Amino acid sequence: MRYFVRFSYRGTDFHGSQSQPNAVTVQQTMEEAFSLVLRTPVALVFAGRTDAGVHARVMVAHFDFPDSLDERLHRLAERLNSLLPASIAIYDIWQVPDSLHARFSALSRTYEYVVCLRKDPFWVGRAARVAPDMDFEAMNRAAQVLLGTHDFSSFCRTQTDVQTKVCTLTEAQWQQVGDVWVFRITANRFLRNMVRAVVGTLFEVGRHRMTQQAFADVLEACDRTCAGQSAPPEALYLTQILYP
Amino acid sequence: MRYFVRFSYRGTDFHGSQSQPNAVTVQQTMEEAFSLVLRTPVALVFAGRTDAGVHARVMVAHFDFPDSLDERLHRLAERLNSLLPASIAIYDIWQVPDSLHARFSALSRTYEYVVCLRKDPFWVGRAARVAPDMDFEAMNRAAQVLLGTHDFSSFCRTQTDVQTKVCTLTEAQWQQVGDVWVFRITANRFLRNMVRAVVGTLFEVGRHRMTQQAFADVLEACDRTCAGQSAPPEALYLTQILYP
């Protein structure tokens, strides 16, 4: 039987989401807890991977288990939460059809990138600081060229094993939320490092060091060296994953 | 000439606001930075003291300086911010009449106490966690007896040097804000440990271990041993100070 898990984590304490040797990752930490509580090795399939330092307000994963967990589901989340570190929280666990896949069935993912315009002790390690004269309107105009279906090679780490770098974006916009600005970006899929490369390049536009046309040219070029530096990871949050 | 400073700090890194020997405090850290930048010893008078671990989204202090800082005021905040640790941020510095006093002229202070009802990696060290069945309506009914002018001896640390423990409360209410609950309390003055003692005792009401009448009796008793435990400091924020 297949189960979905909805959870969140603060990326600060982890070397990314995906298991790798010699580094503490979210996946490894969670698999250890699940295996301990369910008394059998449990493999989790994440909806996606997040880079080191990137947070997830919502992440989804699936796992398969031979028996029905029905009556144990509520207690299971509780027991996992008491076992897992404070930086990971399990919200729900529920049964799904075997055909549903946390990664391949996801229709869209949404990320949010948070910046603050002045020194703020309560956003340290949780947002990027930018100059107060950052031109958000210019960034919003430039970001419009990202909407629709494009090859995002210019905004992808060069060493990656995906077969295609074509993504379909449905949302890419800066909005003021309280005392911070948030860039919300939604796509059917994201490439490694993509949001941070997009945001870092938009910063160049916001600082008037790159024109709107030059930003469009970066996308066209399909060459990572054309884009700006990656924006820092600690300000990036995975916030939504949609399923059919 | 007298200047007011508006600033914020994350209390986690400090042993309270007020200078004391052998401990890093907000006041000492700020006085060192001010003295360095203004090249003369600067003494700051805070609007109030906060306990170890308590945050201030807004704190006000005053200092006296022999010369006019008029043209240097904007640059002064900038230089102080780059010198001060990430956990303290200066917002504004402005000249006031010599008769205005950061502590004695303040008309009211507002504190907020934040609790979350489930495990949340993004509120660790910034909110207190309470059971999801906490009865906020019961706490709000009980809190009403605090409004008006009363002797708050029951909610004050016993070792304190104030002459009177009479305070006038104008606001004391729990409200849901997003995924957390916030207790907002406003008074002309607060005694040491007062908000945390009030919140800790209200928790007893919210858990149905204390009736509304018993809570009113605690206030009447004027005896600290009648009240509940102090709620943890890391969830408490000084958020507003009003002047004439």
Side-chain angles (χ1 to χ4, degrees):
Chain A
M1 279 161 237
R2 181 156 290 184
Y3 294 89
F4 262 37
V5 189
R6 202 167 59 92
F7 56 102
S8 69
Y9 54 84
R10 245 200 108 181
T12 322
D13 302 343
F14 302 100
H15 290 86
S17 62
Q18 198 176 48
S19 287
Q20 50 182 302
N22 308 319
V24 178
T25 64
V26 181
Q27 186 178 351
Q28 178 200 334
T29 305
M30 285 182 56
E31 282 178 346
E32 279 172 15
F34 274 75
S35 302
L36 202 66
V37 171
L38 293 174
R39 297 175 189 212
T40 180
V42 173
L44 290 165
V45 177
F46 276 40
R49 55 174 87 166
T50 53
D51 290 340
V54 173
H55 318 288
R57 287 204 181 271
V58 174
M59 176 61 103
V60 175
H62 79 242
F63 67 94
D64 294 318
F65 193 72
D67 307 321
S68 169
L69 292 167
D70 259 18
E71 284 165 28
R72 295 154 66 187
L73 278 184
H74 180 68
R75 241 194 67 77
L76 182 58
E78 250 175 50
R79 288 190 60 197
L80 287 164
N81 275 330
S82 59
L83 205 61
L84 286 163
S87 44
I88 301 178
I90 308 287
Y91 294 148
D92 315 291
I93 304 172
W94 70 101
Q95 199 186 334
V96 297
D98 285 356
S99 59
L100 211 63
H101 191 284
R103 184 168 162 208
F104 298 129
S105 303
L107 301 173
S108 74
R109 283 98 173 153
T110 299
Y111 280 91
E112 293 184 0
Y113 198 92
V114 182
V115 300
C116 52
L117 309 190
R118 65 174 188 185
K119 194 180 184 189
D120 187 331
F122 302 100
W123 280 107
V124 173
R126 309 154 70 90
R129 194 162 159 221
V130 298
D133 59 355
M134 182 69 88
D135 187 342
F136 289 95
E137 281 186 34
M139 289 200 282
N140 269 341
R141 280 194 304 272
Q144 296 315 297
V145 304
L146 302 172
L147 297 177
T149 302
H150 307 279
D151 184 317
F152 277 84
S153 296
S154 291
F155 299 105
C156 175
R157 187 174 294 186
T158 45
Q159 287 166 336
T160 182
D161 52 1
V162 292
Q163 295 192 332
T164 161
K165 293 180 179 170
V166 174
C167 309
T168 302
L169 255 75
T170 50
E171 184 179 27
Q173 193 168 26
W174 288 94
Q175 277 194 303
Q176 194 167 9
V177 180
D179 54 352
V180 296
W181 281 80
V182 177
F183 180 62
R184 212 176 130 89
I185 184 167
T186 301
N188 62 331
R189 66 195 281 259
F190 285 93
L191 309 170
R192 283 192 76 181
N193 208 240
M194 180 167 143
V195 183
R196 290 169 54 203
V198 165
V199 170
T201 312
L202 282 176
F203 281 168
E204 296 295 299
V205 176
R207 289 174 186 131
H208 296 157
R209 289 184 199 153
M210 183 187 278
T211 64
Q212 194 176 334
Q213 182 56 51
F215 184 83
D217 293 345
V218 170
L219 178 64
E220 281 282 309
C222 292
D223 175 1
R224 178 67 183 90
T225 60
C226 296
Q229 284 199 321
S230 287
E234 70 267 19
L236 183 58
Y237 299 77
L238 176 61
T239 58
Q240 197 172 45
I241 305 169
L242 290 186
Y243 291 92
Chain B
M1 279 164 235
R2 180 156 289 184
Y3 293 89
F4 261 37
V5 189
R6 202 168 57 92
F7 56 102
S8 69
Y9 55 83
R10 243 199 111 183
T12 322
D13 302 342
F14 302 101
H15 289 86
S17 62
Q18 198 176 48
S19 287
Q20 50 181 302
N22 307 320
V24 179
T25 64
V26 180
Q27 185 177 353
Q28 176 199 336
T29 305
M30 285 182 59
E31 283 180 345
E32 278 171 16
F34 273 75
S35 302
L36 202 65
V37 171
L38 293 173
R39 297 174 190 214
T40 181
V42 173
L44 291 165
V45 176
F46 278 41
R49 54 175 85 164
T50 53
D51 289 341
V54 173
H55 317 289
R57 289 204 179 271
V58 173
M59 176 61 103
V60 174
H62 80 242
F63 67 95
D64 293 317
F65 193 73
D67 307 320
S68 169
L69 292 167
D70 259 18
E71 287 166 25
R72 296 154 65 186
L73 277 184
H74 180 67
R75 220 121 150 78
L76 181 59
E78 250 176 49
R79 288 189 61 197
L80 287 164
N81 274 329
S82 59
L83 204 61
L84 287 163
S87 44
I88 302 178
I90 308 288
Y91 294 149
D92 314 290
I93 304 173
W94 70 100
Q95 201 187 333
V96 297
D98 285 356
S99 59
L100 211 63
H101 191 285
R103 183 167 163 209
F104 299 128
S105 304
L107 301 174
S108 75
R109 285 100 173 150
T110 299
Y111 280 90
E112 291 183 3
Y113 197 91
V114 182
V115 300
C116 52
L117 310 190
R118 65 174 188 186
K119 195 181 182 188
D120 187 330
F122 300 101
W123 280 106
V124 173
R126 309 154 71 89
R129 194 160 159 224
V130 298
D133 58 356
M134 183 68 89
D135 188 341
F136 289 95
E137 279 186 37
M139 288 200 283
N140 270 341
R141 279 194 303 273
Q144 295 315 298
V145 302
L146 302 173
L147 296 178
T149 302
H150 306 280
D151 184 318
F152 278 85
S153 296
S154 290
F155 300 106
C156 174
R157 185 174 297 186
T158 43
Q159 286 166 335
T160 183
D161 51 1
V162 291
Q163 296 191 331
T164 161
K165 294 180 177 170
V166 173
C167 309
T168 302
L169 255 75
T170 51
E171 186 180 22
Q173 193 167 25
W174 288 94
Q175 277 195 303
Q176 194 168 10
V177 180
D179 54 353
V180 296
W181 281 82
V182 177
F183 180 63
R184 212 175 130 89
I185 183 166
T186 301
N188 63 329
R189 65 196 281 259
F190 285 94
L191 309 171
R192 285 192 76 179
N193 208 243
M194 179 169 145
V195 183
R196 291 168 53 204
V198 165
V199 171
T201 313
L202 282 176
F203 282 169
E204 296 295 298
V205 176
R207 290 175 186 128
H208 296 158
R209 289 185 200 154
M210 184 185 280
T211 64
Q212 193 175 335
Q213 183 55 50
F215 184 83
D217 293 343
V218 170
L219 177 65
E220 282 281 311
C222 293
D223 176 1
R224 177 67 183 91
T225 59
C226 297
Q229 283 200 319
S230 286
E234 69 268 18
L236 183 58
Y237 298 78
L238 175 60
T239 58
Q240 196 173 46
I241 305 168
L242 290 186
Y243 291 93

